[in-house]
Amino acid sequence: MGDWKTTDGLPRRRRHRALSPLREHLRDTFWFAPTAALVLVFVVWSAATAADDAILTALRDAGDEEAVSDLLGIAEDAKTVVTTISAAMMTFIGVVFSISLVAVQMAAGQFSPRVVRIFVRSRITKATFAVFLATFVQSLLVLTSYDSQRDPALVASIPLVQSVLTLILVALSVVLFVMYVNSTLRLMRVAHVVDLITREALRVVASMPLDVSAEEAVGAGTGPGRGTGLGAETARIAHHGRAGVLRDVDIARLVRMARQNGVVLRLVPRIGDFVVPGTPVFAVHGGSASKALRALSFQVSVGAERTFHQDLGFGLRQLSDIALRALSPAVNDPTTAVQAVDRIVQFLSSVAQRPLGALLHRDRRGVVRLVQPVPGWTELVDLAFTEIRGCGVSSPQVTRRLLAGLDDLLAAVPEDRRAPLVRHRTLLTQAVERTVPEAADRAFALHPDRQGIG
């Protein structure tokens, strides 16, 4: 829908699309792509059948029975290949994905159960599964098109185009299979996993509006407008659906509904919070509570687990989980923890200069219509370092990397955001001094090193 710029000179940003939540929810499912592929293969098969009938009719109208005989021979040769494909493809699908699920289970045990969503959201995984199923179904459909009649003058169907289409799908399946194996093997590598998590987390950061914080807007006056405050709270809308994690809200529709009713909406819980029926989800500021606003509760999505779509802290949560799993006595892999800390520092650096605490979503005229709470800087820093600092204090590789990361962030953030970083650095230093008895070991553990230990 393009970029836009508000009338008061605020930075340009891309407007939220109305179908954005739906697209993200479909990416979190595994059924949509195979189902769409099966529907598409029926459509393509119908078109191919029509093409085969047209070719046969044209040859007969031209009286070219020799060409019909040649096509019949080619189709019979292709039938052997199609029959083999039909018999082997479903077994191939079962074996491949059974092995893949074992690999995913190993990755979940090694890193975090939340990395399973990477496999579920993988486009190459869905494309491979969809094409495999499409190839199997296409081969069955082609076999039904073969005519037992061998006389060129009497044969009613020669599935030549259909057979060629099946062979093309087989070739595509082979290519996708190679890509899929490569993708699955990469899922078992920690560097690839943390890179994927970080990239998705940074996409969330990039989608955030570069706007003033809600605290500044609230304190500037009354009534909705450009930096003029939210106005008095006139109503609250409660959640009436099932209990679960607040996954996202339909920002485009909420902004439109607020503009039509002349109000400002404030999302009460944060994305990622667990809500139960009766939990207030929206506060209405200004205007009056109309019947139309009762539909606000239908613009939120609640599910069993968090997603990246609008959840600023979910990436940090996953990176922290990977580091904590690596630092557990059962795994004892501080190098993996250091790789997770690398990405944590990268993420915090990307939000160091951004407004946090709340996001302001504006309509086309630049009027604030939706206030969305997000974690503040202190909360993000605590999420990033608190648990890792507590579990990694006995590992000099981790403490050295944490100190280097904190020092890098202290050099990059504004003055008003240094306090939580200084606090964590001080607490880490004190914990090492209490835990490590030897002075030389303490000095070594407290020496900042971006690689941990070389």
Side-chain angles (χ1 to χ4, degrees), residues 394-409:
S394 60
S395 171
Q397 183 178 359
V398 175
T399 59
R400 288 160 64 95
R401 181 63 187 99
L402 285 174
L403 289 170
L406 289 168
D407 289 345
D408 289 340
L409 289 171

Side-chain angles (χ1 to χ4, degrees), residues 169-415:
L169 285 175
V170 171
L172 182 59
S173 297
V174 172
V175 174
L176 286 175
F177 173 67
V178 175
M179 297 174 63
Y180 172 74
V181 170
N182 178 66
S183 176
T184 303
L185 291 176
R186 292 175 69 188
L187 182 62
M188 303 180 67
R189 296 164 51 192
V190 62
H192 178 67
V193 172
V194 297
D195 180 62
L196 283 177
I197 293 172
T198 306
R199 278 190 284 169
E200 287 207 58
L202 292 178
R203 288 193 191 101
V204 179
V205 176
S207 68
M208 293 168 50
L210 292 171
D211 210 340
V212 297
S213 67
E215 290 81 3
E216 294 174 0
V218 171
T222 60
R226 293 184 289 272
T228 59
L230 304 182
E233 183 178 317
T234 56
R236 286 206 166 196
I237 309 298
H239 174 58
H240 298 295
R242 62 172 178 167
V245 175
L246 180 61
R247 302 174 65 184
D248 56 37
V249 296
D250 196 328
I251 293 175
R253 292 184 180 178
L254 288 172
V255 169
R256 185 169 61 251
M257 292 174 67
R259 177 178 56 82
Q260 292 171 350
N261 289 271
V263 299
V264 179
L265 302 175
R266 178 170 57 86
L267 185 64
V268 177
R270 283 203 312 235
I271 303 297
D273 285 357
F274 192 88
V275 297
V276 299
T279 302
V281 287
F282 289 106
V284 182
H285 292 264
S288 59
S290 65
K291 292 182 179 180
L293 293 177
R294 296 177 184 177
L296 288 174
S297 59
F298 297 103
Q299 308 306 321
V300 301
S301 173
V302 174
E305 62 179 355
R306 297 167 69 176
T307 69
F308 267 111
H309 186 207
Q310 298 170 4
D311 196 337
L312 181 61
F314 189 42
L316 276 183
R317 177 70 275 167
Q318 292 188 77
L319 293 172
S320 179
D321 285 348
I322 292 174
L324 294 175
R325 180 67 63 91
L327 293 173
S328 67
V331 178
N332 193 23
D333 182 11
T335 303
T336 294
V338 167
Q339 289 179 285
V341 172
D342 292 341
R343 299 300 183 165
I344 288 173
V345 173
Q346 177 187 356
F347 177 83
L348 291 177
S349 297
S350 69
V351 299
Q353 305 291 336
R354 285 180 171 268
L356 298 170
L359 304 178
L360 303 184
H361 300 282
R362 303 172 181 266
D363 60 18
R364 295 180 179 180
R365 297 182 178 180
V367 179
V368 175
R369 293 301 182 185
L370 175 65
V371 178
Q372 177 188 357
V374 295
W377 172 253
T378 299
E379 293 168 300
L380 291 176
V381 171
D382 290 341
L383 173 59
F385 294 118
T386 301
E387 294 172 302
I388 300 176
R389 174 172 52 79
C391 294
V393 67
S394 60
S395 171
Q397 183 178 359
V398 175
T399 59
R400 288 160 64 95
R401 181 63 187 99
L402 285 174
L403 289 170
L406 289 168
D407 289 345
D408 289 340
L409 289 171
L410 283 169
V413 303
E415 184 67 29

